[in-house]
């Protein structure tokens, strides 16, 4: 063989060798180093199905489940695998059009990438679920059914307490990076669902299934060796009395306000009513988004938990705290008297602060008959106490008392978004009036619970627990214990007894005397409960909206029985227009009777029925409701006209279709419309467009709201 041929033979062998090495290296990379094709093969043959655990139950003080679970079915999609299916047939099964189909696929990709499962439709209705289940084998390359526990509410009550769950979004995932959440997961958004999410959520499981070449499920992969069982969430045991909660919600029907009841011995919340409320079941299932939108736009704000989110001037209920401060500071005794001729003139006669009941009062009768002049004098003495070098220091000392009583700061209740209320400080008045240019007469209305002071209903109920216990309280809370133990330390702060300031028992006894007098001969005497000694305090709270005086709020707070109290409670009825003893006091007395006696005396059932039936929706709120109803009617008219227009265009079809824009522009003369069919002949008024129709509608007095 020639030298030339030998060289060419070596080159050819070398080329074959290099090619072989490259092929082997590529196969090694694809099969060992890179998992791409292995993953694709797995995706075609294996389905990894998430198993969602049932969330923990929530039980009341009598071990009744007030928050339970039931199963629903979500249709899941993996966009990268949902190709080549009969889209038209699929859309017919799902009762959607192809545009909606593509929109959902795009949203799934944007939300969770194309290769990860996303919810295509949540909580399938039974009929749709049956249709999909029967035909799922046709689409199993990209779709599958996911079982998911959702919440059920056996009592249809306590919606603002238990809260609701919702699908996590990108913001939630960013804030809870360590929570192990994935897109498509559900988590607590409000109420106990949010506060105790860590305990309630449980741990997800996984089921690995094998598919045949037609994408049909054949069973578990490797006999379930790769499966992981889901772990249910922990149950919560609460201090709530669900029957009392339901009773309170009934009493507050067609009213705006709140009731908060606390067990003073433990700080456990027995009832927390926010009115108006809503059916918690509305925020589960297929109608969730629609119902949430309706509730969110309701002028009555049913999603707002007024017990912790709303703040009010406390009115005369504040006088009990003024009495504690005055006695402790020594500026008054139980026998100190002040005379009232009809107003408080301690800041001059030009703008005297009125008092309803003229007379001469000492501490007990001052509380019993709620004398404004008495407590204005008490606070004036506290602020002008010569032991303080300045008004700043005396007001700051007074502030410290109020903070100790649980006002002006968040208590730390286990319901989210608690507000702190307001106790005015020297810094506040310096900003408004300038340093040294203010004094007691600047804020004298604070002495009777008006002006710059504001509180939440929860704080007032806790104030009653503090007074009932003669100087101590536990932070109010709903959850008493967690099944399996408090692994995350969520309950630690609720076990600590708080004694914020040392006051003698005799001071509290003096205030108790006055509060018992309120129920026996004072402003709350109409709400006595036979056989139960109640200590209470009424409040009639003035309030303004944008400088315009509104009907008064009705306030009442109490604890009972006086000896060994088991309930501390408050109620506010917004803009009732009457006194604290007119509406709030009867409601509280009925709640106390129901809780202590477990029933309502037959002689007082008529009172309960009257409180339930009376409607006290505030005037401003009624006005907003009427406006919303009127706008809704206009929208419904527009919707009907759009449907009519579509029907018209479908009927008057031709080669040159008349468009809505052309009709508006008046360019229809040269269009050749088909001859009218007698069966489809329309009156000229049917051809009015939505915009024009709306103008005509708004000009008709019988259509516009009155």
């Amino acid at each position: 063989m020639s030298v030339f041929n030998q060289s060419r033979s070596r080159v050819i062998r070398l080329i074959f060798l290099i090619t072989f090495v490259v092929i082997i290296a590529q196969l090694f990379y694809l099969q060992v180093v890179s998992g791409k094709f292995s993953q694709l093969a797995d995706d075609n043959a294996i389905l990894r199905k998430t198993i969602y655990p049932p969330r923990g139950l929530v039980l009341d003080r009598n071990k009744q489940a007030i928050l339970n679970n039931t199963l629903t079915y979500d249709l899941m999609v993996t966009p990268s695998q949902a190709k080549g299916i009969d889209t038209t047939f699929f859309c017919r099964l799902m009762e959607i059009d192809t545009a909606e189909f593509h929109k959902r696929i795009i949203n799934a990709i944007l939300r969770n990438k194309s290769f990860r499962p996303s919810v295509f439709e949540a909580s399938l209705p039974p009929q749709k679920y049956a249709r999909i289940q029967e035909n799922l084998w046709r689409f199993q390359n990209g779709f599958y059914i996911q079982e998911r526990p959702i919440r059920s509410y056996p009592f249809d009550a306590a919606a603002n307490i238990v809260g609701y769950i919702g699908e996590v979004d990108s913001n939630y995932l960013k804030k809870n990076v360590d929570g192990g959440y994935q897109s498509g997961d559900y988590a607590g958004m409000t109420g106990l669902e949010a506060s105790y999410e860590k305990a309630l959520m449980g741990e997800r499981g996984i089921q690995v299934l094998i598919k045949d070449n037609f994408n049909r499920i054949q069973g578990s992969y490797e006999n379930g060796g790769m499966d992981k069982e889901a772990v249910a969430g922990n149950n919560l045991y609460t201090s709530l009395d669900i029957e009392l909660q339901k009773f309170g919600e009934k009493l507050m029907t067609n009213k705006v306000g709140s009731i908060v009841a606390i067990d003073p011995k433990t700080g456990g919340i027995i009832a927390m009513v926010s009115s108006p409320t809503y059916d918690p079941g509305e925020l589960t299932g297929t109608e969730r988004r629609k119902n949430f939108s309706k509730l969110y736009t309701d002028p009555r704000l049913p999603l707002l938990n007024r017990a912790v989110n709303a703040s009010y001037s406390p009115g005369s209920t504040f006088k009990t705290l003024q009495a504690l401060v005055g006695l402790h500071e020594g500026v008054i005794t139980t026998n100190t008297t002040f005379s009232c001729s009809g107003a408080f003139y301690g800041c001059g006669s030009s703008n005297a602060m009125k008092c309803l009941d003229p007379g001469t009062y000492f501490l007990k009768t001052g509380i019993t008959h709620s004398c404004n002049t008495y407590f204005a004098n008490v606070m004036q003495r506290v602020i002008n106490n010569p032991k303080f070098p300045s008004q700043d220091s005396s007001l700051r000392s007074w502030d410290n008392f109020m903070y100790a009583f649980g006002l002006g700061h968040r208590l730390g209740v286990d319901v989210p978004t608690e507000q702190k209320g307001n106790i005015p400080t020297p810094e506040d008045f310096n900003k408004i009036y300038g340093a040294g240019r203010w004094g007691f007469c600047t804020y004298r209305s604070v002495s009777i619970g008006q002006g710059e002071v504001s509180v939440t209903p929860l704080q007032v109920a806790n104030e009653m627990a503090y007074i009932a216990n003669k100087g101590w309280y536990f932070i109010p809370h709903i959850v008493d214990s967690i099944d399996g133990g408090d692994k995350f330390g969520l309950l630690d702060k609720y076990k600590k007894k708080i004694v914020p300031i040392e006051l003698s028992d005799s001071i509290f006894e003096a205030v108790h005397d006055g509060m018992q007098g309120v129920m026996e001969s004072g402003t709350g005497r109409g709400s006595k409960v036979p056989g139960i000694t109640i200590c209470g305090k009424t409040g009639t709270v003035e309030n303004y909206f944008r400088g315009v005086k509104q009907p008064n709020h009705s306030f009442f707070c109490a604890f009972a029985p006086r000896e060994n109290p088991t309930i501390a409670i408050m109620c506010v009825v917004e803009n009732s227009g009457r006194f604290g003893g007119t509406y709030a006091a009867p409601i509280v007395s009925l709640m106390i009777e129901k809780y202590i006696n477990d029933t309502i005396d037959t002689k007082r059932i008529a009172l309960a029925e009257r409180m339930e039936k009376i409607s006290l929706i505030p005037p401003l709120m009624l006005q907003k409701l009427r406006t919303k109803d009127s706008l809704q009617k206009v929208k419904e008219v527009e919707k009907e006209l759009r449907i009519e227009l579509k029907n018209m265009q479908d009927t008057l079809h031709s080669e040159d279709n008349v468009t809505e824009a052309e009709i508006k522009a008046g360019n229809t003369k040269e269009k050749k419309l088909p001859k009218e069919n007698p069966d489809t002949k329309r009156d000229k008024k049917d051809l009015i467009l939505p915009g024009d129709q709306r103008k005509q509608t708004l000009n008709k007095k019988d259509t516009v709201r009155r």
Side-chain angles (χ1 to χ4, degrees):
M1 182 181 294
S2 65
V3 174
F4 172 75
N5 287 336
Q6 288 179 352
S7 298
R8 189 169 67 172
S9 176
R10 290 192 189 98
V11 170
I12 291 172
R13 289 175 183 173
L14 184 61
I15 290 172
F16 272 105
L17 180 62
I18 292 172
T19 303
F20 181 74
V21 171
V22 169
I23 291 172
I24 294 298
Q26 183 67 11
L27 288 173
F28 178 81
Y29 172 77
L30 292 175
Q31 295 184 27
V32 179
V33 178
S34 172
K36 177 181 177 182
F37 288 93
S38 176
Q39 182 65 47
L40 288 174
D42 281 352
D43 288 344
N44 285 327
I46 293 174
L47 173 64
R48 292 174 176 82
K49 191 174 181 181
T50 301
I51 307 300
Y52 289 97
R55 289 176 71 84
L57 309 183
V58 178
L59 301 97
D60 82 338
R61 67 194 300 117
N62 298 312
K63 306 299 185 291
Q64 298 182 93
I66 60 177
L67 185 54
N68 214 327
N69 293 306
T70 188
L71 271 182
T72 189
Y73 300 92
D74 296 347
L75 181 62
M76 308 295 291
V77 62
T78 305
S80 64
Q81 298 182 38
K83 297 176 181 178
I85 68 170
D86 187 342
T87 307
T88 303
F89 179 61
F90 179 83
C91 290
R92 193 158 63 246
L93 289 175
M94 293 297 297
E95 300 175 354
I96 59 175
D97 55 28
T98 54
E100 177 65 19
F101 173 84
H102 292 302
K103 177 183 175 183
R104 293 187 187 185
I105 293 293
I106 291 170
N107 287 338
I109 294 172
L110 293 175
R111 187 170 63 244
N112 205 24
K113 308 295 183 183
S114 64
F115 55 88
R116 292 176 181 162
S118 296
V119 177
F120 186 84
E121 183 167 324
S123 299
L124 294 171
Q127 291 182 342
K128 188 180 288 188
Y129 168 76
R131 289 199 306 269
I132 292 296
Q133 186 70 16
E134 183 180 354
N135 293 277
L136 191 60
W137 62 272
R138 303 173 186 269
F139 316 109
Q140 275 188 341
N141 199 36
F143 292 88
Y144 66 90
I145 297 291
Q146 174 74 66
E147 291 182 0
R148 187 193 300 273
I150 61 169
R151 289 310 207 179
S152 62
Y153 306 87
F155 293 94
D156 291 338
N160 292 100
I161 299 173
V162 296
Y164 58 84
I165 59 174
E167 187 176 354
V168 301
D169 57 16
S170 56
N171 290 329
Y172 192 96
L173 293 174
K174 289 176 184 177
K175 292 177 182 177
N176 298 273
V177 177
D178 300 327
Y181 295 98
Q182 301 172 1
S183 182
D185 286 352
Y186 282 70
M189 297 295 163
T190 61
L192 298 180
E193 293 276 30
S195 297
Y196 292 91
E197 170 66 15
K198 288 183 179 180
L200 290 168
M201 66 180 290
E203 297 179 17
R204 286 188 301 271
I206 190 167
Q207 186 179 17
V208 185
L209 304 170
I210 191 166
K211 301 184 288 186
D212 64 12
N213 57 332
F214 293 105
N215 291 304
R216 293 175 297 197
I217 302 296
Q218 298 301 302
S220 297
Y221 181 68
E222 293 187 356
N223 295 319
M226 298 181 67
D227 294 352
K228 178 186 175 183
E229 289 189 9
V231 179
N234 301 114
N235 298 337
L236 305 181
Y237 296 94
T238 73
S239 53
L240 284 173
D241 184 324
I242 194 61
E243 296 299 333
L244 188 69
Q245 177 76 22
K246 286 172 59 180
F247 184 58
E249 291 182 8
K250 281 182 65 177
L251 292 174
M252 291 296 288
T253 301
N254 289 324
K255 302 169 190 66
V256 177
S258 179
I259 304 171
V260 180
I262 298 174
D263 181 345
K265 291 185 176 67
T266 65
I269 294 172
I270 306 166
M272 181 184 279
V273 175
S274 178
S275 182
T277 185
Y278 61 94
D279 178 357
E282 291 183 351
L283 296 184
T284 61
T286 56
E287 297 293 309
R288 180 186 180 277
R289 291 183 182 275
K290 177 182 175 182
N291 292 335
F292 183 85
S293 178
K294 180 183 69 175
L295 293 170
Y296 187 78
T297 57
D298 190 328
R300 296 170 298 177
L301 306 178
L303 293 173
L304 177 71
N305 187 351
R306 287 175 165 83
V308 295
N309 281 124
S311 59
Y312 312 84
S313 295
S316 293
T317 61
F318 199 60
K319 293 171 181 175
T320 56
L321 302 183
Q322 298 285 35
L324 293 177
V325 177
L327 289 170
H328 181 72
E329 289 290 84
V331 297
I332 61 167
T333 68
T334 56
N335 296 319
T336 301
T337 59
F338 296 104
S339 294
C340 173
S341 59
F344 171 68
Y345 294 102
C347 293
S349 59
S350 59
N351 190 21
M353 190 166 65
K354 293 181 180 179
C355 189
L356 292 176
D357 297 310
T360 299
Y361 299 96
F362 56 97
L363 182 67
K364 178 181 176 180
T365 55
I367 295 174
T368 296
H369 298 285
S370 199
C371 177
N372 289 346
T373 296
Y374 189 95
F375 289 97
N377 275 293
V378 170
M379 187 173 181
Q380 187 175 41
R381 287 192 176 188
V382 170
I383 296 300
N384 294 335
N385 192 335
K387 77 174 185 178
F388 296 107
S390 66
Q391 293 266 330
D392 283 42
S393 57
S394 62
L395 178 59
R396 204 174 301 281
S397 173
W398 180 86
D399 286 342
N400 290 335
F401 279 107
M402 296 304 150
Y403 298 148
F405 300 150
L407 308 184
H409 61 89
R410 295 177 182 87
L411 291 168
V413 67
D414 53 353
V415 176
T417 65
E418 179 192 3
Q419 299 301 304
K420 64 180 183 179
N422 184 65
I423 293 297
T425 65
E427 289 75 18
D428 295 332
F429 293 125
N430 286 340
K431 287 179 183 178
I432 299 171
Y433 303 104
R437 301 180 64 182
W438 53 270
F440 168 75
C441 290
T442 309
Y443 55 87
R444 61 183 179 172
S445 58
V446 168
S447 64
I448 58 170
Q450 297 282 172
E452 292 81 3
V453 63
S454 66
V455 297
T456 66
L458 178 71
Q459 289 173 334
V460 178
N462 184 66
E463 165 197 325
M464 288 295 101
Y466 173 80
I467 294 175
N469 291 331
K470 299 179 183 177
W472 58 269
Y473 66 90
F474 288 99
I475 295 175
H477 57 278
I478 293 171
V479 175
D480 284 337
S481 63
I482 301 174
D483 198 13
D486 184 14
K487 303 171 186 175
F488 305 102
L490 300 174
L491 303 178
D492 289 348
K493 65 181 179 180
Y494 304 121
K495 308 300 182 185
K496 298 175 182 177
K497 186 176 181 179
I498 297 175
V499 185
I501 192 169
E502 292 292 340
L503 300 180
S504 68
D505 284 1
S506 61
I507 289 176
F508 288 102
E509 288 290 350
V511 173
H512 290 187
D513 287 343
M515 294 177 69
Q516 184 176 338
V518 168
M519 303 305 294
E520 293 179 348
S521 59
T523 53
R525 60 187 178 276
S527 298
K528 288 188 290 187
V529 179
I532 302 176
T533 303
I534 299 175
C535 294
K537 186 68 192 78
T538 55
T540 305
V541 182
E542 293 185 352
N543 63 100
Y544 295 80
F545 179 74
R546 295 177 181 174
V548 179
K549 177 78 167 63
Q550 301 300 312
N552 294 332
H553 298 325
S554 180
F555 254 67
F556 188 76
C557 57
F559 64 86
R562 176 172 177 173
E563 301 300 328
N564 193 26
T566 58
I567 183 171
I569 185 170
M570 77 80 58
C571 173
V572 53
V573 181
E574 291 186 23
N575 301 125
S576 72
R578 300 294 295 168
F579 302 108
T582 308
Y583 299 116
I587 288 173
V588 165
S589 74
L590 288 164
M591 291 286 285
I592 290 173
E593 182 178 8
K594 172 73 172 173
Y595 181 68
I596 293 178
N597 294 343
D598 199 33
T599 186
I600 300 297
D601 188 272
T602 52
K603 296 178 181 178
R604 284 168 49 86
I605 289 177
L607 173 64
E609 291 175 347
R610 183 165 63 87
M611 287 296 112
E612 179 185 342
K613 291 177 182 178
I614 194 166
S615 179
L616 297 170
I617 301 294
L620 280 178
M621 207 167 275
L622 284 174
Q623 183 180 346
K624 289 181 180 179
L625 283 169
R626 293 190 190 105
T627 301
K628 182 187 176 186
D629 289 344
S630 297
L631 292 173
Q632 185 64 34
K633 288 178 182 177
V634 171
K635 288 179 181 178
E636 289 173 359
V637 170
E638 286 186 337
K639 183 178 179 180
E640 290 174 1
L641 289 167
R642 287 194 182 95
I643 294 172
E644 183 69 15
L645 175 63
K646 186 178 185 301
N647 292 336
M648 178 191 74
Q649 289 178 330
D650 290 344
T651 304
L652 301 180
H653 64 281
S654 67
E655 292 181 2
D656 298 315
N657 249 340
V658 181
T659 66
E660 182 178 341
E662 288 171 334
I663 295 176
K664 284 183 177 179
N667 300 328
T668 62
K669 292 182 179 179
E670 297 186 11
K671 297 290 182 183
K672 294 181 179 180
L673 300 178
K675 293 181 180 180
E676 290 185 348
N677 186 320
D679 295 332
T680 59
K681 188 173 182 180
R682 297 171 180 271
D683 197 292
K684 290 183 180 179
K685 66 181 180 181
D686 292 333
L687 302 181
I688 297 175
L689 295 173
D692 301 321
Q693 180 69 42
R694 184 178 182 184
K695 291 176 184 177
Q696 292 192 14
T697 302
L698 293 176
N699 288 331
K700 293 180 181 179
K701 293 183 179 179
D702 58 345
T703 306
V704 180
R705 69 173 178 83
R706 295 176 184 271

